[in-house]
């Protein structure tokens, strides 16, 4: 076969047909060139961390080890440059990640193809074209035009192209989790897309939980959520479990994948089922984005392309099955299965999805390696995207000594210098009722409420309370002379309810001497309202009534300053 694209498709197709002979799982997924490069970067960062250094690696070192790894796995002559001292550890970490996530790379597929191929049907694949393909040196390949990276002419087109590639990767990662739930790289790409408040710290806690229980990341998340939902008092996770802080986000993620599993098992037609799966993922990705947003446009275009591709793959597999008369399923149900119909549900759709993912693995590698491995990822979840290396790196606890990134410091400084706009509120005539306008202290003391008497007012000078009146002052022959010329006094003199100084006043005075409690209260209450109207009322004298010393005469004005009926209540009302 003369063309590289057809030879790669034949190689992957043969591997998928005979993989059950060399692999334990029939749902093993394949990493393409970009996936292999990202896994190599993670392996090198992990080795650096084991040697006491930071969890990061230079791009130049990654590219150098990448070339050496391809030549080593393809059994080609090594390059003239010396390899890194930790190359064996890097190769071991790389293979361990592949085995742990139930995945293989294209070089492994090529190695198994040489063992699994049928001699008289499948020709032997040469090694050099595969190396040129993975290293990005192959210029002409028979692949879809949309997947071939091209040099952009404007910045807007660059962002759109990069966003569309990232969006297609997220779609395929969700579908990959349905086929292979152990794929940790697929979970890392979909955990917080769309945003579920599961950032770097949440991913680090999930990674530690999976490492402690020797499980995949998806199984660690699923087991935790199931224990929260179904576990009793003795089976629920402890209160100190770090994942308890992310119960809502993890529950939403597991619930979304459960919905995809239900669609996969309930829809027998692969074309219809694949379309429903893609539209369900599309609805989650475009939620919260307007139709004019780039994320919404990229999600719509990617969903349309994937639906068409799934329908084409289904038609090809149906035609092949009719010609050969046999249907090979990646998930063969056992004869003694409890529910045989359920075990068969969705197997045809899984075959189509695996064919779709295999085709995505054959896409040519990204020409801009720095764009693939750097932190400048497109925005998909409402926040700034991060690369896989940043996501797998454990966040450092800030001590306050290390400065923040320059971008954050510039933004915080700009926010600080930005003038703050205060809301102007129209004040009404009842402005005194607002909390921010309290009454001054002197006004509170001068006009207290009748229900809350002041407790810190200095006591007024005690007044002499008289209970007895000289009989000679109360004699009928002595007329009442006002001691004050104020209008209030004249009003009290002319009032018909004023006290008469006639003959009956003596009897009344003697009657006052006999009574004690009732008249005391009345007299104290009447004296309480005497004086200026702007002064606070005096405290009630609770002590015993003082007795008039002998030889002392009481002024006539003090005995005549009485209030008319109802004047006390009226004065109290206007005082409020």
């Amino acid at each position: 076969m003369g063309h590289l694209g057809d030879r790669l498709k034949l190689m992957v197709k043969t591997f998928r047909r005979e993989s059950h002979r060399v692999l334990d799982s029939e749902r093993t997924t394949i990493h393409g060139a970009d996936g292999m490069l990202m896994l190599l970067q993670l392996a090198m960062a992990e080795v650096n961390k084991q040697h006491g250094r930071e969890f990061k690696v230079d791009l130049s070192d990654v590219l150098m080890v990448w070339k050496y790894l391809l030549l080593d796995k393809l059994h080609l002559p090594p390059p003239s440059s010396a390899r890194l001292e930790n190359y064996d550890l890097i190769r071991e970490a790389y293979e361990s990640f592949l085995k742990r996530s139930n995945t293989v790379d294209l070089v492994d597929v090529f190695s198994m193809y040489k063992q699994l191929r049928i001699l008289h049907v499948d020709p032997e694949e040469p090694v050099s074209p595969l190396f040129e393909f993975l290293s990005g040196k192959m210029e002409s390949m028979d692949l879809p035009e949309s997947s071939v990276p091209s040099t952009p002419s404007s910045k807007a087109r660059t962002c759109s192209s990069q966003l569309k590639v990232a969006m297609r990767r997220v779609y395929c990662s969700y579908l990959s989790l349905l086929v292979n739930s152990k794929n940790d790289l697929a979970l890392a790409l979909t955990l917080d897309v769309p945003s579920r408040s599961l950032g770097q710290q949440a991913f680090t806690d999930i990674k530690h939980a999976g490492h402690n229980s020797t499980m995949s990341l998806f199984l660690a998340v699923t087991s935790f959520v199931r224990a929260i939902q179904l576990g009793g008092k003795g089976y629920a996770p402890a209160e100190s479990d770090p994942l308890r802080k992310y119960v809502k986000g993890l529950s939403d993620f597991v619930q979304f994948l459960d919905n995809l599993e239900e669609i996969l098992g309930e829809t027998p037609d692969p074309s219809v089922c694949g379309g429903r799966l893609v539209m369900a993922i599309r609805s989650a990705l475009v939620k919260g984005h307007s139709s004019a947003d780039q994320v919404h446009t990229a999600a719509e275009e990617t969903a349309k392309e994937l639906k068409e591709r799934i329908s084409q793959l289904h038609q090809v597999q149906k035609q092949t099955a009719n010609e050969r008369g046999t249907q090979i399923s990646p998930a063969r149900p056992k004869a003694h299965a409890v529910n045989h119909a359920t075990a068969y549900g969705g197997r045809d759709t899984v075959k189509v999805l695996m064919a779709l993912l295999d085709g995505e693995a054959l896409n040519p590698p990204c020409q801009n390696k720095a764009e693939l491995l750097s932190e400048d990822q497109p925005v998909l979840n409402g926040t700034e995207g991060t690369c896989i290396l940043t996501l797998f790196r454990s966040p450092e606890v800030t001590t306050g000594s290390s400065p923040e990134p320059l971008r954050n410091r510039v933004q915080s400084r700009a926010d600080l210098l930005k003038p703050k706009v205060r809301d102007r509120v129209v004040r009404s005539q009842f402005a005194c009722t607002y909390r921010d306008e309290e009454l001054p202290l002197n006004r509170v003391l001068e006009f207290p409420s009748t229900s809350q008497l002041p407790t810190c007012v200095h006591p007024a000078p005690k007044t002499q309370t008289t209970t007895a009146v000289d009989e000679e002052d109360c004699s009928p022959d002595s007329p009442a002379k006002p001691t004050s010329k104020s209008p209030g006094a004249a009003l009290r003199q002319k009032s018909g309810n004023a006290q008469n100084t006639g003959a009956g006043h003596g009897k009344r005075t003697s009657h006052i001497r006999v009574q004690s409690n009732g008249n005391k209260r009345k007299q104290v209450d009447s004296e309480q309202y005497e004086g200026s109207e702007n002064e606070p009322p005096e405290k009630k004298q609770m002590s015993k009534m003082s007795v008039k010393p002998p030889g002392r005469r009481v002024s006539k004005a003090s005995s005549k300053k009485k209030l008319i009926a109802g004047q006390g209540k009226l004065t109290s009302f206007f005082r409020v």
Side-chain angles (χ1 to χ4, degrees):
M1 302 178 64
H3 211 279
L4 179 62
D6 295 335
R7 287 183 290 175
L8 290 178
K9 291 178 182 179
L10 177 61
M11 181 182 70
V12 173
K13 187 176 181 181
T14 304
F15 162 77
R16 188 61 68 189
R17 184 182 65 226
E18 305 292 338
S19 61
H20 64 278
R21 294 163 49 186
V22 293
L23 296 176
D24 298 334
S25 175
E26 294 180 346
R27 290 198 175 190
T28 303
T29 52
I30 303 174
H31 282 300
D34 292 342
M36 294 172 61
L37 190 59
M38 288 189 289
L39 294 185
L40 179 62
Q41 185 188 28
L42 293 178
M44 295 181 64
E46 185 67 28
V47 172
N48 290 340
K49 184 179 179 181
Q50 292 175 3
H51 285 75
R53 289 175 285 182
E54 297 183 4
F55 190 87
K56 65 179 182 179
V57 62
D58 296 333
L59 179 62
S60 58
D61 295 340
V62 175
L63 296 181
M64 184 177 63
V65 176
W66 168 248
K67 183 177 181 181
Y68 200 96
L69 177 66
L70 294 179
L71 294 175
D72 186 20
K73 296 190 70 171
L74 292 172
H75 304 287
L76 293 175
S80 58
S81 59
R83 68 176 186 176
L84 294 179
E85 56 180 357
N86 298 327
Y87 173 76
D88 295 334
L89 297 177
I90 295 173
R91 173 75 181 270
E92 182 181 356
Y94 176 82
E95 299 293 342
S96 176
F97 194 99
L98 290 176
K99 184 178 181 181
R100 184 172 63 252
S101 58
N102 190 26
T103 56
V104 293
D105 57 13
L106 287 177
V107 181
D108 295 332
V109 171
F110 174 76
S111 301
M112 287 183 282
Y113 168 77
K114 293 171 32 174
Q115 302 176 7
L116 301 175
R117 68 186 180 89
I118 303 176
L119 297 179
H120 63 278
V121 177
D122 300 329
E124 184 177 359
E125 181 69 24
V127 178
S128 57
L130 180 61
F131 172 76
E132 294 178 358
F133 168 75
L134 294 176
S135 59
K137 297 180 180 179
M138 187 67 64
E139 297 181 357
S140 60
M141 289 175 287
D142 187 14
L143 292 170
E145 184 180 355
S146 59
S147 62
V148 178
S150 58
T151 303
S153 58
S154 62
K155 185 176 180 180
R157 185 178 177 185
T158 303
C159 298
S160 178
S161 176
Q162 186 183 4
L163 180 63
K164 190 173 181 180
V165 171
M167 183 67 69
R168 192 178 186 93
R169 187 181 297 121
V170 170
Y171 271 95
C172 295
S173 298
Y174 272 114
L175 299 178
S176 179
L177 284 177
L178 297 178
V179 176
N180 177 20
S181 61
K182 293 183 179 181
N183 193 346
D184 293 344
L185 188 61
L187 182 133
L189 293 171
T190 58
L191 183 64
D192 200 35
V193 182
S195 179
R196 301 184 179 93
S197 300
L198 300 174
Q200 185 181 5
Q201 183 62 50
F203 184 80
T204 302
D205 294 337
I206 295 172
K207 184 177 63 176
H208 292 168
H211 178 74
N212 296 334
S213 57
T214 64
M215 295 187 299
S216 64
L217 299 183
F218 180 77
L219 186 58
V221 172
T222 306
S223 60
F224 172 77
V225 174
R226 296 290 185 256
I228 289 291
Q229 296 175 348
L230 307 176
K233 182 178 181 181
Y235 297 94
E239 294 293 337
S240 60
D241 195 328
L243 296 182
R244 276 192 171 272
K245 298 182 293 185
Y246 318 105
V247 172
K248 185 179 184 304
L250 296 178
S251 300
D252 294 343
F253 178 71
V254 174
Q255 180 65 31
F256 180 70
L257 287 176
D258 288 344
N259 296 338
L260 297 182
E261 289 284 356
E262 291 180 3
I263 296 175
L264 181 63
E266 294 177 356
T267 310
D269 190 358
S271 299
V272 178
C273 182
R276 291 184 58 187
L277 291 174
V278 171
M279 294 308 296
I281 299 173
R282 172 254 175 203
S283 300
L285 293 177
V286 302
K287 186 177 181 180
H289 295 276
S290 62
S291 58
D293 196 354
Q294 289 187 356
V295 175
H296 189 281
T297 305
E300 289 284 355
E301 294 178 359
T302 306
K304 183 179 179 181
E305 293 175 1
L306 291 178
K307 287 177 62 177
E308 295 177 357
R309 182 60 179 166
I310 289 175
S311 300
Q312 293 175 3
L313 292 174
H314 178 225
Q315 295 298 329
V316 171
Q317 290 188 358
K318 183 188 294 185
Q319 183 179 359
T320 305
N322 294 334
E323 292 177 358
R324 295 185 179 181
T326 58
Q327 296 184 4
I328 301 175
S329 173
R332 297 184 180 88
K334 304 298 182 181
H336 56 273
V338 177
N339 193 339
H340 200 261
T342 305
Y344 270 94
R347 65 168 188 164
D348 294 334
T349 306
V350 170
K351 291 168 54 179
V352 175
L353 294 181
M354 293 182 69
L356 174 66
L357 297 176
D358 293 343
E360 293 294 324
L362 296 179
N363 287 337
C366 179
Q367 298 296 330
N368 192 348
K369 308 299 183 184
E371 181 182 291
L372 177 66
L373 302 178
S374 65
E375 298 184 4
D376 298 333
Q377 297 292 327
V379 178
L380 292 178
N381 56 352
T383 58
E384 293 184 0
T386 56
C387 65
I388 296 298
L389 181 65
T390 306
L391 188 61
F392 274 85
R393 182 190 298 125
S394 300
E396 298 178 358
V397 180
T398 58
T399 59
S401 58
S402 59
E404 296 182 356
L406 179 60
R407 178 173 49 191
N408 297 346
R409 284 181 286 168
V410 171
Q411 183 64 29
S412 60
R413 183 63 179 173
D415 296 341
L416 183 62
L417 297 177
K418 185 178 180 180
K420 298 181 179 179
V421 181
R422 295 183 178 180
D423 298 336
R424 295 184 178 181
V425 182
V426 179
R427 300 292 183 177
S428 65
Q429 58 180 345
F430 304 101
C432 59
T433 60
Y434 293 104
R435 294 183 179 180
D436 56 347
E437 295 183 2
E438 298 180 355
L439 293 176
L441 183 61
N442 57 352
R443 185 174 178 85
V444 174
L445 296 180
E446 289 180 2
F447 298 92
S449 175
T450 55
S451 61
Q452 298 179 355
L453 295 178
T455 57
C456 60
V457 181
H458 296 285
K462 297 182 180 180
T463 57
Q464 296 291 338
T465 306
T466 58
T467 57
V469 183
D470 292 342
E471 295 197 11
E472 60 184 17
D473 294 334
C474 300
S475 60
D477 297 336
S478 58
K481 297 181 180 181
T483 59
S484 176
K485 296 181 181 181
S486 61
L491 178 62
R492 287 192 293 270
Q493 289 181 0
K494 295 179 181 180
S495 175
N497 296 332
Q499 297 288 343
N500 295 327
T501 57
H505 193 72
K507 298 180 182 180
R508 187 170 183 175
T509 305
S510 62
H511 182 65
I512 291 176
R513 291 195 186 97
V514 178
Q515 295 184 0
S516 60
N517 295 334
N519 293 339
K520 287 179 187 178
R521 185 176 184 87
K522 291 180 180 180
Q523 189 169 1
V524 171
D525 292 342
S526 63
E527 291 178 358
Q528 186 178 5
Y529 295 102
E530 291 181 357
S532 176
E533 209 175 275
N534 295 331
E535 296 179 358
E538 300 176 356
K539 292 184 178 180
K540 296 182 179 180
Q541 303 294 333
M542 302 304 297
S543 60
K544 295 183 179 180
M545 300 174 63
S546 59
V547 182
K548 175 196 171 199
R552 185 175 180 181
R553 302 179 61 180
V554 181
S555 61
K556 300 177 183 179
S558 62
S559 62
K560 296 176 183 178
K561 290 183 179 181
K562 306 293 182 179
L563 296 177
I564 63 176
Q567 187 175 357
K569 294 183 178 180
L570 186 61
T571 306
S572 175
F573 174 79
F574 281 100
R575 181 176 288 110
V576 176

